[in-house]
Amino acid sequence: MYYKEDPKFPENFMWGASSAAWQVEGGVAEGGRTPAMIDLNSRKKQPYADNSIAADHYHRYKEDVALMAECGFSSYRFSLSWSRIIPHSDGKVNSEGIKFYNDLIDELIKNNITPIVTIYHYDLPVWVYEELGGWRSRKTIDAFEHLCKVCFENFGDRVKYWLSLNEQNMQICYGHWLGTSAGCTDWEKEKWDINHIMNLCHAKAVVHCHEMVEGGKIGPVPGYVPIYPKTCNPGDQIAAMNAEELTQKIWNDTYVYGEYSGFIKKYWETHDVHPDIRPEDLELMKKAKIDFIAVNCYRSNTAYESKIDSERQEYGLNKFGIKGQMQWPNVPGEYAFCSNPYVEYTDWDWEIDPQAMRYSLRYLWNHYRLPMMITENGLGANETKDADGQVHDTARIDFLRDQIYNVGLAIEDGCEVIAYNPWSFTDLLSTGNGIKKRYGLVYIDTTDDELVNCKDVSELSMKRIKKDSFYWYSKLIKSNGKDWGKEMK
Ligand code: BGP
């Protein structure tokens, strides 16, 4: 649909940005925190820095919140580090960890910024893995349930928006990259058991949030990547639908309807997969009624028909930020992906596709009719300071402007969207490319080399430099989505 005027955002729309504990905090051995599996995983991503220092938000959260307030934020989405809150298998609550998050939450509220809190963002404690068996063990459900209760009890008086697990679909689809597959010998089968355990954790979080947090609302955080058919060949359309199912729909259907779809049950049967699903599990899943869907949306995918006798090809991610290194996957008999000639690509071969945002919101709204908030969206880019010491990130401004405009168009299309929180506020650690792949509105004045070679964070500048995108975003959000900085129509 074409609109004559620029889209309008609702009066109480929340504008902010997003982060995750392990990617922003640093201070991994401070305040009683014990190691998480992702600490170990991040050490495997050399030559990039691991998460020991990240953006040093642990020590500089006050400065960061002050910058958020200056920018005009009304929300901030961040995650809690499990092993900072519960460092050992005895389940004892670490008061220093609670204090850190209490201080952060209070600082946000003092600045009129609504906290949106993710309970789990990829950072399983090492003790859960070593002593309980990690995601492969049902004992982890009890440990996660305990974590949820501790969080709701300690922060639920001030935190009303909760997110259960970040990108469960990506943790299963890219288990090797994100470290979910640790300890598995037959990942293709075991991942469905792990997925079921994650579904039960999600369900526990939803049920306890509603029981324990007055006025609390909770939702999952799917990583949503729309899938277009390569051509109007009906086989390509079915391939796109298969990919949609196998990379996201089966998760979203389960969250919303509290049961496994016919598609996934048939898939398991065909592939001789038999997850341990018990009647009481299904009861719990049915009880867990979500309030909204938090959407992480960066890009799109393009699918074509994959013949059953074609050769299997794994996804080969672009690891070095030099265009043209992505290796597209082929899942014989299901789907294959390819590049899209109609969109531009980032240095990491991610599609720059603003309409994917509008598509995603409309797709999710049409299927589920639940309010949505954007909890991630952004441009991963190679960036450095200019000669004037500033960061002129025109590409990020262009990216965000087009994406946010499409959020507005989706709202005009009738979708209920309540917040926009791009990834990320400051530069922070990427999942596999250290701080080299920058996403922030605020530049962190350091490099992977410095992070790797320093003995202590006090040796580093870690100065916060507001990028041009900070000033641009600030004007846009202070005008509640009216000041785009250029003529849009
Ligand atoms: C999302 C994750 C984030 C974040 C982002 C960017 O999937 O939830 O944790 O890192 O992707 O990805 P990357 O860091 O790989 O560029």
Coordinates of all heavy atoms in Angstrom, one line a residue, residues 377-460:
N377 N 18.0 -4.9 15.4 CA 18.0 -4.5 14.0 C 19.3 -3.6 13.9 O 19.5 -2.8 14.8 CB 16.8 -3.7 13.7 CG 16.8 -3.0 12.3 OD1 16.6 -1.8 12.2 ND2 16.9 -3.8 11.3
G378 N 20.1 -3.7 12.9 CA 21.3 -2.9 12.8 C 22.2 -3.3 11.7 O 22.1 -4.3 11.1
L379 N 23.2 -2.4 11.6 CA 24.2 -2.6 10.6 C 25.6 -2.9 11.2 O 26.1 -2.1 11.9 CB 24.4 -1.3 9.7 CG 25.5 -1.3 8.7 CD1 25.1 -2.2 7.5 CD2 25.7 0.2 8.2
G380 N 26.1 -4.1 10.9 CA 27.4 -4.5 11.3 C 28.4 -4.0 10.3 O 28.4 -4.4 9.1
A381 N 29.4 -3.1 10.7 CA 30.2 -2.5 9.7 C 31.7 -2.3 10.2 O 31.9 -2.2 11.4 CB 29.7 -1.1 9.4
N382 N 32.6 -2.3 9.3 CA 34.0 -1.9 9.6 C 34.0 -0.3 9.8 O 33.6 0.4 8.9 CB 34.9 -2.2 8.4 CG 35.1 -3.7 8.3 OD1 35.7 -4.3 9.2 ND2 34.6 -4.3 7.2
E383 N 34.4 0.1 10.9 CA 34.4 1.6 11.1 C 35.7 2.0 11.9 O 36.1 1.3 12.8 CB 33.2 2.0 12.0 CG 32.0 2.3 11.2 CD 30.7 2.4 12.1 OE1 30.8 2.2 13.3 OE2 29.7 2.8 11.5
T384 N 36.1 3.2 11.6 CA 37.3 3.8 12.3 C 37.0 5.3 12.5 O 36.1 5.9 11.9 CB 38.6 3.7 11.5 OG1 38.3 4.1 10.2 CG2 39.1 2.3 11.5
K385 N 37.8 5.9 13.4 CA 37.6 7.3 13.6 C 38.2 8.1 12.4 O 39.1 7.6 11.8 CB 38.5 7.8 14.8 CG 37.8 7.5 16.2 CD 38.7 8.0 17.3 CE 40.0 7.3 17.4 NZ 40.9 7.7 18.5
D386 N 37.6 9.2 12.1 CA 38.1 10.0 11.0 C 39.2 10.9 11.6 O 39.5 10.9 12.8 CB 37.0 10.9 10.4 CG 36.4 10.2 9.2 OD1 37.0 9.9 8.3 OD2 35.2 9.8 9.4
A387 N 39.9 11.7 10.7 CA 41.0 12.6 11.1 C 40.5 13.5 12.2 O 41.3 13.9 13.0 CB 41.5 13.3 9.9
D388 N 39.3 13.9 12.2 CA 38.8 14.9 13.2 C 38.4 14.2 14.5 O 37.9 14.8 15.4 CB 37.6 15.7 12.7 CG 36.4 14.7 12.3 OD1 36.5 13.5 12.5 OD2 35.4 15.2 11.8
G389 N 38.7 12.9 14.6 CA 38.5 12.2 15.8 C 37.0 11.7 16.0 O 36.6 11.1 17.0
Q390 N 36.2 12.1 15.0 CA 34.8 11.7 15.0 C 34.5 10.5 14.1 O 35.4 10.1 13.4 CB 33.9 12.9 14.6 CG 34.1 14.1 15.5 CD 33.7 13.9 16.9 OE1 32.6 13.4 17.2 NE2 34.6 14.2 17.8
V391 N 33.3 9.9 14.3 CA 32.9 8.8 13.4 C 31.7 9.2 12.6 O 30.6 9.4 13.1 CB 32.6 7.6 14.3 CG1 32.3 6.4 13.4 CG2 33.8 7.2 15.2
H392 N 32.0 9.3 11.3 CA 30.9 9.8 10.4 C 30.3 8.6 9.7 O 30.7 8.2 8.6 CB 31.5 10.8 9.4 CG 32.2 12.0 10.0 ND1 31.5 12.8 10.8 CD2 33.5 12.4 10.1 CE1 32.3 13.7 11.3 NE2 33.6 13.5 10.9
D393 N 29.4 8.0 10.4 CA 28.8 6.7 9.9 C 27.6 6.9 9.1 O 26.5 6.4 9.5 CB 28.6 5.8 11.1 CG 27.7 6.4 12.2 OD1 27.5 7.6 12.2 OD2 27.1 5.6 13.0
T394 N 27.8 7.5 7.9 CA 26.6 7.8 7.0 C 25.9 6.5 6.7 O 24.6 6.5 6.6 CB 27.2 8.4 5.7 OG1 28.2 9.2 6.1 CG2 26.1 9.2 5.0
A395 N 26.6 5.4 6.5 CA 26.0 4.1 6.1 C 25.0 3.7 7.2 O 23.9 3.1 6.9 CB 27.0 3.1 5.8
R396 N 25.4 3.9 8.4 CA 24.5 3.4 9.5 C 23.2 4.3 9.5 O 22.1 3.8 9.7 CB 25.2 3.5 10.9 CG 24.2 3.3 12.1 CD 24.9 2.8 13.3 NE 25.5 1.5 13.1 CZ 26.8 1.3 12.9 NH1 27.6 2.3 12.8 NH2 27.2 0.1 12.7
I397 N 23.4 5.6 9.3 CA 22.2 6.5 9.3 C 21.3 6.1 8.2 O 20.1 5.9 8.4 CB 22.6 8.0 9.1 CG1 23.5 8.4 10.3 CG2 21.4 8.9 8.9 CD1 24.0 9.8 10.2
D398 N 21.8 5.8 7.0 CA 21.0 5.4 5.9 C 20.3 4.1 6.2 O 19.1 3.9 5.9 CB 21.8 5.2 4.6 CG 22.3 6.5 4.1 OD1 21.8 7.6 4.5 OD2 23.3 6.5 3.3
F399 N 21.0 3.2 6.8 CA 20.4 1.9 7.2 C 19.3 2.1 8.1 O 18.2 1.6 7.9 CB 21.5 1.0 7.8 CG 21.0 -0.4 8.2 CD1 21.2 -1.5 7.3 CD2 20.4 -0.6 9.4 CE1 20.8 -2.8 7.7 CE2 19.9 -1.9 9.7 CZ 20.1 -3.0 8.9
L400 N 19.5 2.8 9.2 CA 18.5 2.9 10.3 C 17.3 3.7 9.7 O 16.2 3.3 10.0 CB 19.1 3.6 11.5 CG 20.1 2.8 12.3 CD1 20.7 3.6 13.4 CD2 19.5 1.5 12.9
R401 N 17.6 4.7 9.0 CA 16.5 5.5 8.5 C 15.5 4.7 7.7 O 14.3 4.7 7.9 CB 17.0 6.7 7.6 CG 15.9 7.6 7.1 CD 16.4 8.5 6.0 NE 17.2 9.6 6.5 CZ 18.5 9.8 6.1 NH1 19.1 9.0 5.3 NH2 19.1 10.9 6.6
D402 N 16.1 3.9 6.7 CA 15.2 3.1 5.9 C 14.5 2.0 6.7 O 13.3 1.7 6.4 CB 16.1 2.4 4.8 CG 16.6 3.5 3.8 OD1 16.1 4.6 3.9 OD2 17.5 3.1 3.0
Q403 N 15.2 1.4 7.6 CA 14.6 0.3 8.4 C 13.4 0.9 9.3 O 12.3 0.3 9.4 CB 15.6 -0.3 9.3 CG 16.7 -1.0 8.6 CD 16.4 -2.4 8.1 OE1 15.5 -3.1 8.7 NE2 17.1 -2.9 7.1
I404 N 13.7 2.0 9.9 CA 12.7 2.6 10.8 C 11.5 3.1 10.0 O 10.3 3.0 10.5 CB 13.3 3.7 11.7 CG1 14.5 3.2 12.6 CG2 12.2 4.3 12.6 CD1 15.3 4.3 13.3
Y405 N 11.8 3.6 8.9 CA 10.7 4.1 8.0 C 9.7 2.9 7.7 O 8.5 3.0 7.7 CB 11.2 4.7 6.7 CG 10.2 5.6 6.0 CD1 10.1 6.9 6.4 CD2 9.5 5.1 5.0 CE1 9.2 7.7 5.8 CE2 8.6 5.9 4.3 CZ 8.4 7.3 4.7 OH 7.5 8.1 4.1
N406 N 10.3 1.7 7.5 CA 9.5 0.5 7.2 C 8.8 0.0 8.5 O 7.8 -0.6 8.3 CB 10.4 -0.5 6.6 CG 10.4 -0.3 5.1 OD1 9.6 -0.8 4.3 ND2 11.4 0.4 4.6
V407 N 9.4 0.3 9.7 CA 8.6 0.0 10.9 C 7.3 0.8 10.9 O 6.2 0.4 11.1 CB 9.4 0.3 12.2 CG1 8.6 0.1 13.4 CG2 10.7 -0.6 12.2
G408 N 7.5 2.1 10.5 CA 6.4 3.0 10.5 C 5.4 2.6 9.4 O 4.2 2.6 9.7
L409 N 5.8 2.1 8.3 CA 4.9 1.7 7.3 C 4.1 0.5 7.7 O 2.9 0.4 7.5 CB 5.7 1.4 6.0 CG 6.3 2.6 5.2 CD1 7.1 2.1 4.0 CD2 5.2 3.5 4.8
A410 N 4.8 -0.4 8.5 CA 4.1 -1.6 9.0 C 3.0 -1.2 10.0 O 1.9 -1.8 10.1 CB 5.1 -2.6 9.6
I411 N 3.3 -0.1 10.8 CA 2.3 0.4 11.7 C 1.1 0.9 10.9 O 0.0 0.6 11.3 CB 3.0 1.4 12.7 CG1 4.0 0.8 13.6 CG2 1.9 2.2 13.5 CD1 4.8 1.7 14.4
E412 N 1.4 1.7 9.9 CA 0.3 2.2 9.0 C -0.4 1.0 8.4 O -1.6 1.1 8.2 CB 0.9 3.1 7.9 CG 1.6 4.4 8.3 CD 0.6 5.4 9.0 OE1 -0.6 5.2 8.8 OE2 1.1 6.3 9.6
D413 N 0.3 -0.1 8.1 CA -0.4 -1.3 7.5 C -1.3 -1.9 8.6 O -2.0 -2.9 8.2 CB 0.6 -2.3 7.1 CG 1.5 -1.8 5.9 OD1 1.1 -1.0 5.2 OD2 2.6 -2.4 5.8
G414 N -1.3 -1.5 9.8 CA -2.2 -2.1 10.8 C -1.5 -3.0 11.9 O -2.2 -3.5 12.7
C415 N -0.2 -3.1 11.8 CA 0.5 -3.9 12.8 C 0.7 -3.2 14.1 O 0.9 -1.9 14.1 CB 1.9 -4.2 12.3 SG 2.0 -5.1 10.7
E416 N 0.5 -3.9 15.2 CA 0.7 -3.2 16.5 C 2.2 -3.4 16.9 O 2.7 -4.5 17.3 CB -0.2 -3.9 17.6 CG -0.2 -3.1 18.9 CD -1.1 -3.7 19.9 OE1 -2.0 -4.5 19.6 OE2 -0.9 -3.3 21.1
V417 N 2.9 -2.3 16.9 CA 4.4 -2.3 17.2 C 4.5 -1.3 18.4 O 4.1 -0.2 18.3 CB 5.3 -1.9 16.1 CG1 6.7 -2.2 16.4 CG2 4.9 -2.7 14.8
I418 N 5.2 -1.7 19.5 CA 5.2 -0.8 20.6 C 6.6 -0.3 20.9 O 6.8 0.6 21.7 CB 4.7 -1.6 21.9 CG1 5.5 -2.8 22.2 CG2 3.2 -1.9 21.7 CD1 5.1 -3.5 23.6
A419 N 7.7 -0.8 20.3 CA 9.0 -0.3 20.6 C 10.0 -0.6 19.5 O 9.8 -1.6 18.7 CB 9.5 -1.0 21.9
Y420 N 11.0 0.2 19.4 CA 12.1 0.0 18.5 C 13.4 0.1 19.2 O 13.8 1.2 19.8 CB 12.1 1.0 17.3 CG 13.2 0.8 16.3 CD1 13.2 -0.2 15.4 CD2 14.3 1.7 16.4 CE1 14.3 -0.4 14.5 CE2 15.4 1.5 15.5 CZ 15.4 0.5 14.6 OH 16.4 0.3 13.7
N421 N 14.2 -1.0 19.3 CA 15.5 -1.0 20.0 C 16.5 -1.7 19.1 O 16.7 -2.9 19.1 CB 15.4 -1.9 21.3 CG 14.4 -1.2 22.3 OD1 14.8 -0.3 23.0 ND2 13.2 -1.7 22.3
P422 N 17.2 -0.9 18.3 CA 18.2 -1.4 17.4 C 19.4 -2.0 18.2 O 19.7 -1.6 19.3 CB 18.6 -0.2 16.6 CG 18.4 1.0 17.4 CD 17.2 0.6 18.3
W423 N 20.2 -2.8 17.5 CA 21.4 -3.3 18.0 C 22.5 -2.4 17.4 O 22.6 -2.4 16.2 CB 21.6 -4.8 17.5 CG 22.8 -5.5 18.1 CD1 24.0 -5.6 17.5 CD2 22.8 -6.2 19.3 NE1 24.8 -6.4 18.3 CE2 24.1 -6.8 19.4 CE3 21.9 -6.5 20.3 CZ2 24.5 -7.6 20.5 CZ3 22.3 -7.3 21.4 CH2 23.6 -7.8 21.5
S424 N 23.2 -1.7 18.2 CA 23.3 -1.7 19.6 C 23.5 -0.2 20.1 O 23.6 0.6 19.2 CB 24.5 -2.5 20.0 OG 25.7 -2.1 19.3
F425 N 23.6 0.0 21.3 CA 23.8 1.4 21.8 C 25.3 1.8 21.6 O 25.7 2.6 20.7 CB 23.4 1.6 23.2 CG 23.5 3.1 23.6 CD1 23.0 4.1 22.9 CD2 24.2 3.4 24.8 CE1 23.2 5.4 23.2 CE2 24.4 4.7 25.1 CZ 23.9 5.7 24.3
T426 N 26.2 1.2 22.4 CA 27.6 1.3 22.1 C 28.1 0.2 21.2 O 27.4 -0.8 21.1 CB 28.4 1.2 23.4 OG1 28.2 -0.1 24.0 CG2 28.1 2.3 24.4
D427 N 29.2 0.3 20.6 CA 29.8 -0.8 19.9 C 30.0 -1.9 21.0 O 30.2 -1.5 22.2 CB 31.2 -0.4 19.4 CG 31.1 0.5 18.2 OD1 30.1 0.5 17.5 OD2 32.1 1.3 18.0
L428 N 30.0 -3.1 20.7 CA 30.2 -4.2 21.6 C 30.7 -5.4 20.9 O 31.0 -5.3 19.7 CB 28.9 -4.5 22.4 CG 27.5 -4.4 21.6 CD1 27.4 -5.5 20.6 CD2 26.3 -4.5 22.6
L429 N 30.8 -6.5 21.6 CA 31.4 -7.7 21.0 C 30.4 -8.3 20.1 O 29.3 -8.6 20.5 CB 31.8 -8.6 22.2 CG 32.8 -9.7 21.7 CD1 34.2 -9.1 21.8 CD2 32.7 -10.9 22.6
S430 N 30.8 -8.6 18.9 CA 29.8 -9.4 18.0 C 29.9 -10.9 18.4 O 30.8 -11.3 19.1 CB 30.2 -9.1 16.5 OG 31.2 -10.0 16.1
T431 N 29.0 -11.7 17.8 CA 29.0 -13.1 18.2 C 30.3 -13.8 17.7 O 30.7 -14.8 18.3 CB 27.8 -13.8 17.6 OG1 27.8 -13.7 16.2 CG2 26.5 -13.4 18.2
G432 N 30.9 -13.3 16.7 CA 32.1 -14.0 16.2 C 33.2 -13.1 15.7 O 34.3 -13.6 15.3
N433 N 33.0 -11.8 15.6 CA 34.0 -10.9 15.0 C 34.5 -9.8 16.0 O 34.7 -8.7 15.5 CB 33.5 -10.4 13.7 CG 33.0 -11.5 12.8 OD1 31.8 -11.6 12.6 ND2 33.9 -12.3 12.3
G434 N 34.6 -10.2 17.2 CA 35.1 -9.2 18.2 C 34.4 -7.9 18.1 O 33.2 -7.8 17.8
I435 N 35.2 -6.8 18.3 CA 34.6 -5.5 18.2 C 34.8 -4.9 16.8 O 34.4 -3.8 16.5 CB 35.3 -4.6 19.3 CG1 34.3 -3.4 19.6 CG2 36.7 -4.1 18.9 CD1 34.5 -2.8 21.0
K436 N 35.4 -5.7 15.9 CA 35.7 -5.2 14.6 C 34.3 -5.0 13.8 O 34.2 -4.0 13.0 CB 36.5 -6.3 13.8 CG 36.7 -5.9 12.3 CD 37.7 -6.9 11.7 CE 37.6 -7.0 10.2 NZ 38.2 -5.8 9.6
K437 N 33.4 -5.8 14.1 CA 32.1 -5.7 13.5 C 31.3 -4.7 14.4 O 30.7 -5.2 15.4 CB 31.4 -7.0 13.3 CG 30.2 -7.1 12.4 CD 29.6 -8.5 12.4 CE 28.5 -8.6 11.3 NZ 27.9 -9.9 11.4
R438 N 31.2 -3.5 14.0 CA 30.6 -2.5 14.9 C 29.2 -2.2 14.6 O 28.8 -2.1 13.4 CB 31.4 -1.2 14.8 CG 32.8 -1.3 15.4 CD 33.6 0.0 15.3 NE 35.0 -0.2 15.7 CZ 35.5 0.0 16.9 NH1 34.7 0.5 17.9 NH2 36.8 -0.2 17.2
Y439 N 28.4 -2.1 15.6 CA 26.9 -1.8 15.4 C 26.5 -0.6 16.1 O 25.3 -0.2 16.0 CB 26.1 -3.0 16.1 CG 26.0 -4.2 15.2 CD1 26.9 -5.3 15.4 CD2 25.0 -4.4 14.3 CE1 26.8 -6.4 14.6 CE2 24.9 -5.5 13.5 CZ 25.8 -6.5 13.7 OH 25.7 -7.7 12.9
G440 N 27.3 0.1 17.0 CA 26.8 1.1 17.9 C 26.5 2.4 17.3 O 26.9 2.8 16.2
L441 N 25.6 3.2 18.1 CA 25.4 4.6 17.8 C 26.6 5.4 18.5 O 26.8 6.5 18.2 CB 24.1 5.0 18.5 CG 22.8 4.3 18.0 CD1 21.7 4.6 18.9 CD2 22.5 4.8 16.6
V442 N 27.2 4.7 19.4 CA 28.4 5.2 20.2 C 29.6 4.4 19.9 O 29.5 3.1 20.1 CB 28.0 5.3 21.7 CG1 29.2 5.8 22.5 CG2 26.8 6.2 22.0
Y443 N 30.6 5.0 19.5 CA 31.9 4.3 19.2 C 32.7 4.0 20.5 O 32.8 4.9 21.3 CB 32.7 5.2 18.3 CG 34.0 4.6 17.7 CD1 33.9 3.8 16.5 CD2 35.2 4.9 18.3 CE1 35.1 3.3 16.0 CE2 36.4 4.3 17.7 CZ 36.3 3.6 16.6 OH 37.5 3.0 16.0
I444 N 33.2 2.8 20.6 CA 34.1 2.5 21.7 C 35.5 2.6 21.2 O 35.9 1.8 20.2 CB 33.8 1.1 22.3 CG1 32.4 1.0 22.8 CG2 34.8 0.8 23.4 CD1 32.1 1.7 24.1
D445 N 36.3 3.5 21.8 CA 37.6 3.8 21.2 C 38.7 2.7 21.6 O 39.5 2.9 22.4 CB 38.1 5.1 21.7 CG 39.3 5.6 20.9 OD1 39.6 5.0 19.9 OD2 39.9 6.7 21.3
T446 N 38.5 1.5 21.0 CA 39.5 0.5 21.1 C 39.4 -0.5 19.9 O 38.5 -0.3 19.1 CB 39.3 -0.3 22.4 OG1 40.4 -1.1 22.7 CG2 38.0 -1.2 22.4
T447 N 40.3 -1.4 19.8 CA 40.3 -2.4 18.7 C 40.5 -3.8 19.3 O 40.9 -4.0 20.5 CB 41.5 -2.1 17.8 OG1 42.7 -2.3 18.6 CG2 41.5 -0.7 17.2
D448 N 40.3 -4.8 18.4 CA 40.5 -6.1 18.9 C 42.0 -6.4 19.3 O 42.2 -7.0 20.3 CB 40.2 -7.1 17.7 CG 38.7 -7.3 17.6 OD1 38.1 -7.9 18.5 OD2 38.1 -6.8 16.6
D449 N 42.9 -5.8 18.6 CA 44.3 -5.9 19.0 C 44.6 -5.4 20.4 O 45.2 -6.1 21.2 CB 45.2 -5.1 18.0 CG 45.6 -5.9 16.8 OD1 45.2 -7.1 16.8 OD2 46.1 -5.3 15.9
E450 N 44.1 -4.2 20.7 CA 44.2 -3.7 22.0 C 43.6 -4.5 23.1 O 44.1 -4.8 24.1 CB 43.6 -2.3 22.1 CG 44.4 -1.2 21.4 CD 43.8 0.2 21.4 OE1 42.7 0.3 22.1 OE2 44.4 1.1 20.9
L451 N 42.4 -5.0 22.8 CA 41.6 -5.8 23.7 C 42.4 -7.1 24.0 O 42.4 -7.6 25.1 CB 40.2 -6.1 23.2 CG 39.3 -4.9 23.2 CD1 38.0 -5.2 22.4 CD2 38.8 -4.5 24.6
V452 N 42.9 -7.7 22.9 CA 43.6 -9.0 23.1 C 44.9 -8.8 23.9 O 45.3 -9.6 24.7 CB 43.9 -9.6 21.7 CG1 44.9 -10.7 21.8 CG2 42.6 -10.0 21.0
N453 N 45.6 -7.7 23.6 CA 47.0 -7.5 24.2 C 47.1 -6.8 25.5 O 48.1 -6.9 26.1 CB 47.9 -6.8 23.1 CG 48.1 -7.7 21.9 OD1 48.3 -8.9 22.1 ND2 48.0 -7.1 20.7
C454 N 46.0 -6.2 26.0 CA 46.1 -5.5 27.2 C 46.1 -6.4 28.4 O 45.5 -7.5 28.3 CB 45.1 -4.4 27.4 SG 43.5 -5.0 27.9
K455 N 46.7 -6.0 29.5 CA 46.6 -6.9 30.7 C 45.4 -6.5 31.6 O 44.9 -7.3 32.3 CB 47.9 -6.7 31.5 CG 49.1 -7.2 30.8 CD 50.2 -7.6 31.8 CE 51.4 -8.4 31.1 NZ 51.9 -7.6 29.9
D456 N 45.1 -5.2 31.5 CA 44.0 -4.8 32.3 C 43.2 -3.7 31.6 O 43.8 -2.9 30.8 CB 44.5 -4.2 33.6 CG 43.4 -3.9 34.6 OD1 43.0 -4.8 35.3 OD2 42.9 -2.8 34.6
V457 N 41.9 -3.6 31.8 CA 41.1 -2.6 31.0 C 41.6 -1.2 31.3 O 41.4 -0.3 30.5 CB 39.6 -2.8 31.3 CG1 39.3 -2.7 32.8 CG2 38.8 -1.9 30.5
S458 N 42.2 -1.0 32.5 CA 42.6 0.4 32.8 C 43.7 0.9 31.9 O 43.9 2.1 31.8 CB 43.1 0.4 34.3 OG 44.2 -0.5 34.4
E459 N 44.3 0.0 31.1 CA 45.3 0.4 30.1 C 44.7 1.1 28.9 O 45.3 1.7 28.1 CB 46.1 -0.8 29.6 CG 47.0 -1.4 30.7 CD 47.6 -2.7 30.2 OE1 47.5 -3.0 29.0 OE2 48.1 -3.5 31.0
L460 N 43.4 0.8 28.7 CA 42.7 1.2 27.5 C 41.9 2.5 27.6 O 41.4 2.8 28.7 CB 41.8 0.1 27.0 CG 42.4 -1.3 26.8 CD1 41.4 -2.3 26.4 CD2 43.5 -1.2 25.7

